[in-house]
Amino acid sequence: MSRPYIKKLSFTLLDSITDKDPMVQEQVCSALCSLGEAQPDETLRACEEYLRQHDKLAHPYRTKILRAMETILSSHIHDLDKDTASAVILLASSEMTRTKELDCDWQQAASSVLVAVGKRFTNQVMEEVLNRFQPGMLPHSSVLHTLANLSMSNAFDMVPFLPSILSTMLPMLGMAKQDALKVVFCCALQHFSESILEYLANLDQAPDPTVRKDTFGADIFGAYDFLFHHWLQSRDAKLRLAVVAALGPMSHLLPSERLEEQLPKLLPAVLGLYKKHAETFQISKSLGQILEAAVNVSSRTLEVQLEALLVALHSQICVPVESSSPLVMNSQKEVLRCFTVLACCSPDRLLAFLLPRLDTNNERLRVGTLQILRHIVNSAAAQMEIKKPFILSSMRLPLLDTNDKVKRAVVQVISAMAHHGYLEQPGGEVMVEYIVQQCALPAEEPQKPGPDGEDLAADSVRAVSIRTLYLVSTTVDRMNSVLWPYLLEFLTPVRFTGALTPLCRSLVHLALKRQEAGADDFLIQYNANANLPSPFALTTRLLVVSSNPYLGDGRGAASLRLLKVMHQNIHPLLGQRWETTMPVLLEYLDEHTEETLSLKEWEEKLLVFLRDTLIMVSDNVWICQLSQEMCKQLPSYSGTPQEKNFLYKCIGTTLGAASSKEVVRKHLRELLETARYQEETEKEGLACCFGICAITHLEDTLAQLEDFVRSDVFRKSTSIFSIFKDRSEHEVEKLKSSLILCYGHVAAQAPRELMLAKVESDILRSIFQCFNTKVLGIKVETKDPALKLCLVQSLCMVSQAMCSGAQASSFHFSRKAELVAQMMEFIRAEPQDYLRTPIRKKAMLACTYLVTLEPALEEQTQADVIHSCLHSVMALPPGPEGEDGVCQESLYLDTVCALEDLLTSLLRQNMTPQGLQIMVEHLSPWIKSPRGHERARALGLGACLLQFFLEHLQVSTLVPFHNLGLLVGLFAPRCADTWTTTRQEAVGCVYSLLYLQLGYEGFSRDHRDDVAERLLTLKDGLVHADPTILFHTCHSIAQVIAKRLPSDQLISLLLTMFESLGDPDKNCSRAATVMINCLLKERGNVLLEKVPEIVSVLRAKLRDTQEEHVLPAAQHSVYLLASQHCEAVVSSLLGSPLPFDSHTCALWRALAVEPSLTAQVLELLLEKMSKDVPFKESRAFLLGSTADRVATLLPLAATCALNEVLSAPSSGTVVLELYPQLFVALLLRVSCTVGVQLPRNLQAKERKSTSLAKAARNLDPCSSAVDALQALLLRSGSQDVLRCVELEGGWELLRTSAGHEDGVAQLASSMAKYAGPRLPLVMKALGCTQNSVYEIQRVTSTAFLAELLSSNVVNDLMLLEPLLDNLTARLKDSSASVRRLVLRGLANMASGSPDKEKVEFRTASIRLFGHLNKACPGECEDVFLEQVVGGLVPLLLHLRDPQVPVASACKFALCMCVPHLECAELAAAFYKYLQEGRSVHFGEFLNSTCKHLMHHFPDLLGRLVSTNLFYFKSSWDDVRAAAPMFTGFLVLHAEPEQRTQVDLEQLIVALQLLLKDPVPGVREKAAETLGRLVKFA
């Protein structure tokens, strides 16, 4: 079955090769190749047969088929049988020669097929091709191509055919008329010659080792002669290049005598082509081959042609290169290869030509010449050996060239020389020095890549030189003796500083090699090498440059590594010690970067290393020599202040280790005399030097300073030192500041017990002597800020030193108050609008240390210190002043740290809640500042103080933290500050306060409270500026506070937070409201007694605050209180003055937020309204006058309150529940207040309010009741009732005695018309009023009920009978009005797109299918499994559904159903790819699914394929494309034995139909699947 089946598959695919879509065509070819992978013979036969049968098939499609055949042949040539090969050969030969066009893709494809077959079936192919290569007839160009390519791909089998081919070809050359055909002949001759040369070069492997070059000589010469004399002069450039490409390999096959006679013509002709062609690669390549051939035969012609050759080749190297394309680079390589050939045969003439050209000033000529020189140094080493001195001397002028291109070329030449022993010659040191000079060039700034993508920095002169130096040092063994110890000479001169890192790395490598060789080789003979640096110079230099370790590509580590390996040459005792100390330093550098390294810490580590080294040596002579060398090198570092500063410290360290006091004094004196005091860094370094020296030589150091201070240095006239002549005032100030700084460092570093003895008598006296100047005997303080800063800095160091000694506690400092006052004076004198100098910082640090000394400061002095320091720092404007923003920011942070230290130092003196309160009181104005930066600073200080207080808390007895509520209330609202930093600090403050409370409750310091710890996790929520997140976090913080705050502190906390409602920062005000309400919710249950006070404060705050957010917050507060103390809140609010102001009204409305509370409030108000009599009667002074009815206050207030509560929209639910009670109560309230007056005190208020504005509601008792009744109707949804009564004028009638009954009747009528369903319960409630003590209430209720009898609603609601019973009972009422109304009542009784729907239906159906798996009980699992299998294909395919909801539903259904298949791998694949929201790579997913299906359920193959066939006709393009892809993946992963499940005939027919589908993507998938069906062959 295999062959017919493969043929059918192949033909089906081949029929689709003409598809209009290129992608489909490519897929068809790919499918053909897939068939060929499995069944190469059958597939090739099918292709061959198809091409024969479809003779009219267009060329492009034939080409694609042939390309597919070539691909199959290339992979399976050894599996091909002879018959198939013969058929393919005949086909390809026919296809190749069917058209006369030249260079056609179709011909090339056919030719490639022949070449592919010829790798195994050479004879058969040659037989067929030679049939088309007959003497006397021009062959088809493709025949020549095929022969040429065959010779290149299979030289051993082809070369035996070449003599006959060449003899047949030679007569044809003259017959060729077309240039294109001539080019083909040239290419064939080139390839023939190359294959012959390959054959001859591998005769030991050749099938016929007897073949000789002369076998081909005559034919090759004949061809050569024709090409040279006839075609080389052609006008066609392509032909000329083809000719010259052929002449190169052909020249090797010419007989020697023929070559010799042709060279005088050949070489000039080839050189002449350079002028005619821009693309010269082929010319140079052939020229090299011709030159090699000439050298091989020892041609004498070369000598004659040499000058012309050199000129032409040199110009090719020197020509400017436009690009670095591979072709251009290869062309240059071929030219250089020509120079190699010439160097081997004529080295003297070559050098005589090249070296004078090094003297030119032309960049191109010099660079080109250097390139050639480098090449011949490398490639013709033997010929150049005796020329080394001559070549070295010729480099003199290029070494002076400043052009970067020339420099790079020179460095490359020197590198080549190093590899071949040139630098060992005299003059070689100059070359080494040149390399080092280039390494020392300044490092290049990072640059963008060049036009060709090259890294310009990597190719810079410096970079190339560094690589060269390291390469030569590490890989060229012969250079060891040249470079060691010579390279050491370059370490100390400043001009080579930039080269230190590469120098050190090379020297380390060289030194290690020397060590391996033996101690004698490694030890340096300094006497024999006068130019080498001494061990002291070397140590000083390497140590100092290490102080800035990441400069110069990491010179710190490199210098230290060199120092380590040089230990034996520095001092014999250092080796073992440095083996342990040096790696620690290097590891420290590896752990850090330039950004993370602290230079101060690093310098300290180096100084410790130096100190340790000096202790290890313990040789005073050696140490003194080292100190002398250090002093000697000081001037070298004037251009690098930081390194000079460090060198001063090294000098101080070394002098400190010296035992010779004379040497110490001498060097200290020289340092004072030679220092450059105008340089700040040097001044600091000098002071550090004196301070370090004072550790061991305090007396000598102070003596030298004293002598210097007493000298004539402060005078402007001449002095004893020549360096101080004509010193300006500015210079004198600089000198004074340096000396003051020296004293400060001496005090800081000297042993404490010795320093305390001299601090007042010597050190401070000398400091102030330098600071103060006397004019005419009067002390005048300097105004120089630098001098003032030095004074403050020194006093700070002195103060710190006094405090840090063991005797500090017993030391009585008599000048303490004086120094503190001086510091405060400096601080107050600093400008408030900017921060330029560290005077504030230093002065505060000095005070920090001073306050701890005895005697203690007075209380007022302490307060002044705190106030002055806070004002000096807090009031500074935000943002750095000046251009150097980073430095200013650093200075500001240091100043704040100094302030923190001072405040904590003062707090330490009074570690009580009262002491803490005093500090916070000083901060309070800044915490509440309207300026954000001031608040941020204050909170930072507060957090610092609280943390300090907490860390140092010592509670001996349990005492209350009585001001906790006040402090928490101050800090907590700031958790919502508009400044992020302030918010973060505020949380920290609250956190510390809660732990302080725990401490005062007796918990240990290491106790961790889960509730308080939650504050730390809440900090993240304060990072966001989103108000929602912010206030939610504040609420959570308040919850934490509520859980940990003692009950007795709650009211003080709340009252403090109430004050924050008016905070200028609205965020904090809002946060206060959030926190207040949270506290009320969490802890309000204990505030019953405080409810009146809280309500009163809230009302007062509402009056005082205009912010919009305060009112709703206050409303919520009242709501929270009422939810816990409802009656107390209602009573407190009822006690508010009448008429209620707008804020009180708003608070009433707040009680309607939550239904259960609203119900309680309404019931309480109804109770209050009915509890007291509605009015009291009072008579006028005249007897017999009518009594006036005056409203009582409590029912009046309750009525007004009811109105407010009912007006709140949120009360609607409760209003409906209590509707009958409310309606009846308010209706009766209206009735009993008709004609009732206000008390006199309220009448005045009423007149005043109505005259001013309509702000408050009407206070008239009846009107207020009517208003409440209207609010009830509105809130219950009876707007129509309200409107109807209004239109009839009923509301006005209700308010008057005369019209009251009519008004009630209109209300009843409207109720019957628009609110009938409410009447049954209203009637029931009204029925209870027939026994009211107030006649007017009985009249009102009767009027209402009587009017109802006129409406049909009583029948509809079956109310007639109870209504009649009620009215009949009222006929016995004592009131005539009631009886009249009953009769009136009795009289009244006598007189709800198609496509969308489809989508929704499909979506719902699919989702239902997914949900069914949940409802599938155990007994029906088998049935449902069957449904799952049946639905698998449609669900998978409809993942490509054009409707997103449907595809999403399919994802859901698949994930729900897959558990029933009980396949973990399949379930994992589904869950991986089908997650909601994840985009599905459908092909990848389907491939994975099919793999698992065929592995676990192979028997489903036939069913799945047949189901897919149904979807081949889907109306959706994507589904139609997915179906064949699904089928293809199933076949891909199925085992061949499963083929019986599939109806292949039906499947192939279906796929054939899909190959004609209008959608290219569908056709592409069909072709792909057809290729996979080979599996079932």
Side-chain angles (χ1 to χ4, degrees), residues 244-245 247-249 251-252 263 266-274 280-295 302 305 308-310 312-314 316 334-339 341-342:
V244 79
L247 293 180
S251 63
H252 283 274
L263 280 175
L266 176 59
L267 288 174
V270 173
L271 292 177
L273 293 177
Y274 277 125
T280 59
F281 166 71
Q282 200 57 63
I283 300 169
S284 301
K285 180 180 178 182
S286 288
L287 179 60
Q289 292 170 326
I290 293 167
L291 291 175
E292 286 175 345
V295 170
L302 278 182
Q305 300 286 339
L309 281 166
L310 290 172
L313 290 170
H314 187 266
Q316 286 300 306
E334 293 300 331
V335 175
L336 291 173
R337 196 161 69 88
C338 295
F339 275 107
V341 175
L342 297 175

Side-chain angles (χ1 to χ4, degrees), residues 313-321 332 362 364-369 371-372:
L313 290 170
H314 187 266
S315 65
Q316 286 300 306
I317 290 294
C318 296
V319 72
V321 178
Q332 289 227 334
N362 184 291
R364 291 177 186 168
L365 291 178
R366 182 170 274 175
V367 170
T369 306
Q371 283 181 304
I372 298 167

Side-chain angles (χ1 to χ4, degrees), residues 23 1149 1176 1454 1517:
M23 296 298 293
R1149 290 193 294 275
K1176 293 181 179 178
L1454 285 167
D1517 297 347

Side-chain angles (χ1 to χ4, degrees), residues 1090-1104:
K1090 301 294 182 180
V1091 168
E1093 183 180 0
I1094 293 172
V1095 172
S1096 176
V1097 170
L1098 279 173
R1099 290 178 57 250
K1101 282 295 170 188
L1102 287 173
R1103 283 196 306 271
D1104 299 340

